[in-house]
Amino acid sequence: MKNTLLYLIFFLLNLSLNAQTEKSVEGNIENLPVHEYTLEINEEMVNKAGKNVMGMTINGSIPGPTLEFNEGEYAVIHVKNNMDVETSIHWHGILLPNFYDGVPYLSTPPIEPGKTFKYEFAIKQNGTYWYHSHTMLQEQSGVFGSIVIQPKEKTLDYDKELVLMLSDWTNEKPMNVLRFLKRGTEWYNIKKGTATPLNQVIARGAFGAQLDFWRQRMEGADIADIYYPAFLINGQQTMEYPDFKPGEKVRLRIIDGAASTSFWMTFGGETPTLVSADGKDVVPVKKNKTFIGVAETYDFIVTIPREGKMEYRITAQDGSGTASAYLGRGKIIAAPEVPKPDKIGMMQKMAKMDMKMGAPALKFNPGKDEPYKMKEKWGMQMDKEMKMEGMGHSEMDQSPKTAKKEAMEGMDHSKMGMPGDSTKTTVMDHSKMDMKMEPDSISSNGKDTTIKGDGMQGMDLFSEYNYDYLRSPEKTTYDEDIPVNEILLNLTGNMSRYIWSLNGIPLAETDKIRIKGNQVTRITLNNLTMMHHPMHLHGHFFRVINKNGEYSPLKHTVNVPPMQEVTIEFYGSEYGDWFFHCHILYHLISGMDRIVSYDTPRDPRLKEYPVSKLIHETNQFYTWGMVDAASHMAGLNLVSSNIRNQFNLSAEYGWNQNIEAEMSYEYYLNDWVRVFGGVNMENEIEDSMDQISTTAIAGIRYFTPYMFNLDLRLDNKLRPQIRLSRDFMIFPRLSVFGEYEYQANFGWVEDLPEGKDYQKEETITIGAEYFLSKNFSLMGSYDNRFGAGGGLSVRF
Ligand SMILES: [Cu+2]
């Protein structure tokens, strides 16, 4: 009896220590006090950036209301859909039963138009969280809000609190934004002033770096894809909070609810204290300039200045805009400005780093998942990196050998208390991270600063994004005897086609990631793209392994910088299927997701809601087109494309009665190679519309290194043809383009005119395009069939 009691006490103690490893249970079995909310989602006109456009509101506002709970309550939230499209709400960062997680067709039924869905779950955590629609791009339209959960016992010292919900706003329809990204134009970069036309690249002496990028089929170092006319704090570009009194300590609960924008946050006045990240308390640290990735949350305690009002400012990561909130009254105490990132400079540094860019977003054989091979082949080159480590140390009067040995010793240190054998890799990676992330600390020992040679120079490019300032107040390690399951996910993407994936496999082409309950799953996220990806796992907290080892912080969203590697691990305490994805909405819907599955039976309540619907959303067809109307010709171009399949229609008509029209279907074998077949119509002889010949065509199209489009084909008269085209942006709004086509006819099928055993046909087009706006360009071109002329291009 005594033993049982002791065991029970021990068991309960253990339970409370490992709050994050408790399984979620449905229903209010413990009779917790019920806290109810009703949210109504509507479609209505809103004005967030100087224009009335349709938005989606919750209880009449963007963002929706703050849902306030106390730890230990039972949440009951009725969500009513007043729109004529389906919706859903996901509770971001909340530990809850799978069925109420709110990913439609995966864990929860969608909320159909006119219907209400009741979400309910026990609140067994505290902190700052948020909620948002998980249906298509609705979050961009306004379906998001904050959640604040007060702890059972208040441990932090502050007087008041304030939620700051960050977001980005577009006046375009989000689906049109995505369509625009899929078609791949430079317009958003032009509009944002982040385009890097050739004249600027050359003026900076960066043409070599540009060639290096082109060789790897990249236009440049991209930070953000989309132009936003406004960034918002609690729904506005400028917010005033005059009611705070001087000297008051205010806990700011900051949430990045933007669809695709990460921000730099800066504070005026006294340096604020960071107290919490992703809802979990961290060891308080004084910190001003702080990065907040999409979907992350951070809590700071600030002191209202004795005189004046302090500014809290967010600067979009790519420097394309800011928003401010002011706390207090009087003269502005400005927050430090964050300079605009130097994209060309980044490109130069990246070109100097030894890495292979352009890993495939679309594997030739998606059935064969080879993450380790992929990691070896692309990204930072491992052996070179090791050499560099040695080099770094030897500069400090040490032989590479001792340097290596020391690094090893350091490794053993941090290994203490870490579970399992496989930690070796984690810790090694981690010590390697330290090496490359903190070149300053190496050189600061005063010996030599030349360490920051060409190779190292790029290494500090992303150091400001590491999470080393986050330290959990308690150990976050799992018991040593728990088995560990290692998974490598390379983050992959194709900027020009706007396809995003993991290990070169978009969601639509893969199976679930199966994990086991009561095991630790350790995922290494290896970013092989030029963009940051804030990766989010539903329903769990994971450790983000950083220099704090056993005290690594727990998070629900982790930002992985370009070409960097981050390791996370979590204990499998749940059941069911959970979404794991990049939280940049446009990456999420383009395939950068996985279903993490405990492989438990599917909930029978989801019988009518097949998961294929969710997967299909990531593989939709997008259609776009362009019309040219010029003095010498008219043209039409239509493209409809999903991940692997594309339909093309193009027609050109010269006023001199020359015509060429072509329809083709193409299939992408991988990112760059596609096979196609179709029909071509053209008049063989000039100025004679009645002699149009129609041929069947088949061939291969290839997007080459240095970014040329190559088209090799044969028609049913067995005439081979080669076509090469390319465009360049030479000035901020001006692009030039050229196309060369050569067709040979050996008379294999039809007889050639008498006396000839070979005939050729050459087509040359050169031209320029000047971007007037998103949808209009001025164009001028010369074509050897149609002559020269100019006119207007319209994109739609
Ligand atoms: Cu992403």
Side-chain angles (χ1 to χ4, degrees):
M1 188 64 204
K2 210 171 153 192
N3 273 350
T4 323
L5 204 71
L6 268 173
Y7 178 77
L8 199 72
I9 291 170
F10 178 77
F11 179 76
L12 287 173
L13 214 74
N14 208 29
L15 215 69
S16 64
L17 275 174
N18 291 308
Q20 75 265 23
T21 65
E22 252 177 274
K23 185 176 186 153
S24 300
V25 185
E26 274 186 43
N28 191 358
I29 47 168
E30 286 170 84
N31 259 320
L32 304 170
V34 173
H35 197 149
E36 246 177 303
Y37 280 100
T38 300
L39 302 177
E40 293 202 29
I41 308 180
N42 278 291
E43 232 176 329
E44 58 182 300
M45 289 298 250
V46 293
N47 190 329
K48 293 286 178 190
K51 199 175 165 187
N52 284 325
V53 293
M54 282 306 258
M56 293 177 179
T57 62
I58 307 174
N59 294 1
S61 70
I62 297 174
T66 298
L67 307 183
E68 293 182 61
F69 296 103
N70 295 308
E71 190 176 349
E73 285 181 333
Y74 191 75
V76 174
I77 308 163
H78 309 270
V79 178
K80 182 157 191 272
N81 180 5
N82 294 331
M83 307 188 289
D84 47 21
V85 288
E86 285 179 357
T87 191
S88 60
I89 295 286
H90 161 60
W91 315 95
H92 188 112
I94 304 290
L95 303 173
L96 41 55
N98 191 247
F99 184 68
Y100 295 107
D101 187 50
V103 179
Y105 302 95
L106 179 65
S107 53
T108 315
I111 314 172
E112 321 239 358
K115 294 278 162 39
T116 300
F117 189 86
K118 185 170 122 188
Y119 295 87
E120 52 181 306
F121 43 88
I123 303 278
K124 47 185 191 175
Q125 65 200 103
N126 64 71
T128 306
Y129 303 93
W130 64 301
Y131 59 91
H132 60 83
S133 168
H134 225 291
T135 302
M136 299 301 287
L137 301 171
Q138 291 179 1
E139 185 197 307
Q140 177 82 82
S141 298
V143 187
F144 59 91
S146 48
I147 300 173
V148 171
I149 307 169
Q150 298 297 343
K152 282 181 174 151
E153 262 174 78
K154 193 179 162 195
T155 52
L156 291 164
D157 174 35
Y158 56 90
D159 307 305
K160 288 184 176 160
E161 52 179 78
L162 173 67
V163 171
L164 298 172
M165 173 55 100
L166 321 181
S167 63
D168 44 23
W169 184 259
T170 170
N171 284 331
E172 295 172 53
K173 284 199 183 95
M175 270 320 257
N176 277 340
V177 171
L178 182 57
R179 216 163 53 88
F180 218 73
L181 294 168
K182 293 268 179 191
R183 79 184 296 161
T185 76
E186 277 289 300
W187 174 250
Y188 287 133
N189 275 324
I190 295 172
K191 185 84 179 156
K192 286 199 285 196
T194 55
T196 52
L198 266 183
N199 71 322
Q200 291 171 14
V201 169
I202 291 166
R204 291 277 303 274
F207 189 63
Q210 178 71 76
L211 280 177
D212 204 47
F213 268 69
W214 280 345
R215 183 174 52 81
Q216 305 183 68
R217 299 186 182 93
M218 305 267 227
E219 203 52 68
D222 255 299
I223 300 169
D225 311 317
I226 298 156
Y227 164 73
Y228 289 105
F231 299 101
L232 310 174
I233 300 175
N234 290 346
Q236 294 193 35
Q237 297 182 55
T238 307
M239 275 306 241
E240 297 277 351
Y241 297 96
D243 294 339
F244 293 113
K245 306 274 175 304
E248 268 181 344
K249 283 186 174 169
V250 182
R251 176 180 188 162
L252 300 179
R253 298 178 177 270
I254 304 166
I255 303 151
D256 187 355
S260 79
T261 311
S262 297
F263 298 97
W264 284 106
M265 307 186 280
T266 51
F267 302 78
E270 249 177 61
T271 307
T273 307
L274 172 61
V275 293
S276 169
D278 285 7
K280 296 274 187 194
D281 286 350
V282 295
V283 174
V285 55
K286 286 205 177 287
K287 190 167 174 14
N288 196 325
K289 184 187 170 195
T290 305
F291 180 74
I292 183 167
V294 173
E296 289 185 315
T297 79
Y298 288 99
D299 292 26
F300 285 85
I301 295 177
V302 299
T303 308
I304 305 300
R306 291 281 156 208
E307 264 174 60
K309 57 178 178 186
M310 61 156 287
E311 180 186 18
Y312 162 77
R313 185 206 296 242
I314 53 169
T315 305
Q317 191 189 4
D318 67 350
S320 62
T322 66
S324 297
Y326 298 95
L327 282 71
R329 285 168 197 271
K331 215 178 76 200
I332 292 172
I333 299 170
E337 265 180 50
V338 178
K340 211 171 183 162
D342 170 16
K343 271 174 77 175
I344 295 175
M346 275 171 66
M347 204 159 87
Q348 284 174 301
K349 282 183 180 175
M350 282 180 177
K352 276 180 188 161
M353 293 162 83
D354 197 9
M355 57 189 190
K356 283 198 75 188
M357 301 179 277
L362 204 55
K363 279 190 64 174
F364 175 67
N365 180 0
K368 213 168 157 195
D369 192 1
E370 303 159 305
Y372 292 94
K373 253 189 175 168
M374 190 172 217
K375 188 181 175 202
E376 218 171 277
K377 188 165 175 207
W378 304 94
M380 301 295 289
Q381 300 297 291
M382 188 67 175
D383 51 332
K384 305 249 173 68
E385 232 177 305
M386 293 304 261
K387 257 183 242 157
M388 207 135 32
E389 270 182 48
M391 184 194 79
H393 277 276
S394 64
E395 294 275 358
M396 296 188 290
D397 305 320
Q398 281 177 346
S399 76
K401 240 184 194 163
T402 40
K404 202 40 100 23
K405 199 173 151 245
E406 250 198 15
M408 293 296 210
E409 276 165 10
M411 222 160 74
D412 288 340
H413 275 289
S414 38
K415 208 182 93 183
M416 276 162 59
M418 298 281 290
D421 270 330
S422 35
T423 36
K424 263 177 199 156
T425 46
T426 316
V427 179
M428 192 184 72
D429 283 342
H430 165 214
S431 69
K432 204 177 68 203
M433 286 283 267
D434 282 351
M435 293 294 300
K436 66 182 179 198
M437 291 300 221
E438 297 175 344
D440 287 335
S441 67
I442 304 171
S443 52
S444 67
N445 80 357
K447 291 246 169 172
D448 199 3
T449 44
T450 55
I451 299 173
K452 280 177 130 185
D454 281 1
M456 293 294 272
Q457 208 172 47
M459 295 298 187
D460 58 349
L461 247 185
F462 302 109
S463 63
E464 54 183 2
Y465 293 105
N466 78 35
Y467 285 106
D468 284 347
Y469 54 88
L470 296 182
R471 182 182 172 91
S472 167
E474 286 133 32
K475 280 187 192 174
T476 53
T477 43
Y478 308 109
D479 286 342
E480 280 195 35
D481 46 8
I482 300 173
V484 177
N485 179 21
E486 296 255 6
I487 292 168
L488 170 62
L489 291 176
N490 297 292
L491 314 187
T492 42
N494 177 336
M495 243 0 238
S496 27
R497 290 196 66 219
Y498 213 77
I499 285 170
W500 299 93
S501 57
L502 296 164
N503 292 342
I505 310 168
L507 179 69
E509 297 188 345
T510 186
D511 207 356
K512 300 167 172 179
I513 292 181
R514 289 190 165 76
I515 62 165
K516 285 196 184 121
N518 307 320
Q519 277 198 358
V520 169
T521 299
R522 180 178 299 138
I523 303 180
T524 298
L525 299 164
N526 182 41
N527 190 348
L528 296 177
T529 77
M530 289 287 112
M531 291 197 80
H532 294 254
H533 300 287
M535 302 298 295
H536 169 52
L537 174 63
H538 285 227
H540 298 74
F541 279 89
F542 47 73
R543 307 177 69 226
V544 176
I545 312 291
N546 68 3
K547 78 166 189 194
N548 296 313
E550 295 171 292
Y551 295 87
S552 290
L554 292 170
K555 294 185 98 272
H556 50 59
T557 306
V558 61
N559 180 66
V560 189
M563 294 288 158
Q564 306 293 309
E565 186 182 312
V566 177
T567 298
I568 62 171
E569 54 182 27
F570 62 94
Y571 178 73
S573 56
E574 295 290 351
Y575 58 92
D577 289 353
W578 302 88
F579 221 14
F580 178 61
H581 59 87
C582 175
H583 219 284
I584 293 180
L585 210 50
Y586 300 90
H587 294 183
L588 156 64
I589 205 168
S590 302
M592 204 168 205
D593 339 273
R594 284 293 183 274
I595 293 164
V596 172
S597 173
Y598 283 87
D599 225 1
T600 48
R602 188 166 158 86
D603 196 311
R605 289 169 289 184
L606 292 170
K607 213 178 135 204
E608 289 165 52
Y609 308 102
V611 71
S612 55
K613 175 90 188 332
L614 173 81
I615 291 166
H616 177 74
E617 279 179 10
T618 64
N619 191 17
Q620 288 191 337
F621 272 94
Y622 297 88
T623 304
W624 58 85
M626 182 145 118
V627 171
D628 299 314
S631 55
H632 59 314
M633 53 86 71
L636 169 74
N637 225 302
L638 264 178
V639 179
S640 189
S641 178
N642 73 357
I643 290 177
R644 292 271 179 188
N645 306 283
Q646 187 162 309
F647 297 91
N648 306 289
L649 172 74
S650 73
E652 284 175 313
Y653 178 75
W655 306 124
N656 62 358
Q657 300 215 320
N658 255 312
I659 192 170
E660 177 165 5
E662 189 171 297
M663 246 168 69
S664 66
Y665 160 78
E666 57 191 39
Y667 179 82
Y668 280 85
L669 295 174
N670 63 20
D671 287 80
W672 318 121
V673 183
R674 60 247 216 221
V675 287
F676 72 94
V679 187
N680 181 287
M681 283 167 53
E682 63 185 317
N683 49 337
E684 302 275 282
I685 305 158
E686 218 172 297
D687 303 329
S688 57
M689 286 297 288
D690 38 64
Q691 288 210 34
I692 288 177
S693 88
T694 304
T695 53
I697 49 164
I700 189 161
R701 289 183 180 134
Y702 179 50
F703 190 64
T704 72
Y706 296 100
M707 302 176 83
F708 286 88
N709 276 303
L710 180 68
D711 177 312
L712 294 169
R713 60 171 71 184
L714 207 56
D715 64 11
N716 58 346
K717 294 176 187 165
L718 293 182
R719 293 177 300 186
Q721 182 189 298
I722 181 170
R723 185 190 289 182
L724 198 64
S725 64
R726 175 80 159 96
D727 59 62
F728 301 92
M729 178 169 284
I730 53 169
F731 291 112
R733 280 169 179 257
L734 188 71
S735 281
V736 291
F737 56 88
E739 187 179 289
Y740 175 75
E741 197 182 297
Y742 187 97
Q743 190 184 58
N745 189 354
F746 300 97
W748 287 333
V749 174
E750 279 177 4
D751 286 339
L752 293 171
E754 235 171 282
K756 282 193 175 174
D757 53 5
Y758 176 75
Q759 219 175 19
K760 64 170 185 176
E761 194 190 308
E762 263 179 311
T763 311
I764 298 165
T765 313
I766 49 165
E769 179 180 4
Y770 182 81
F771 286 82
L772 294 171
S773 68
K774 187 182 166 220
N775 295 325
F776 294 95
S777 290
L778 290 175
M779 61 82 87
S781 70
Y782 165 79
D783 186 293
N784 66 338
R785 294 162 300 170
F786 314 132
L792 193 69
S793 295
V794 184
R795 283 174 287 274
F796 58 90

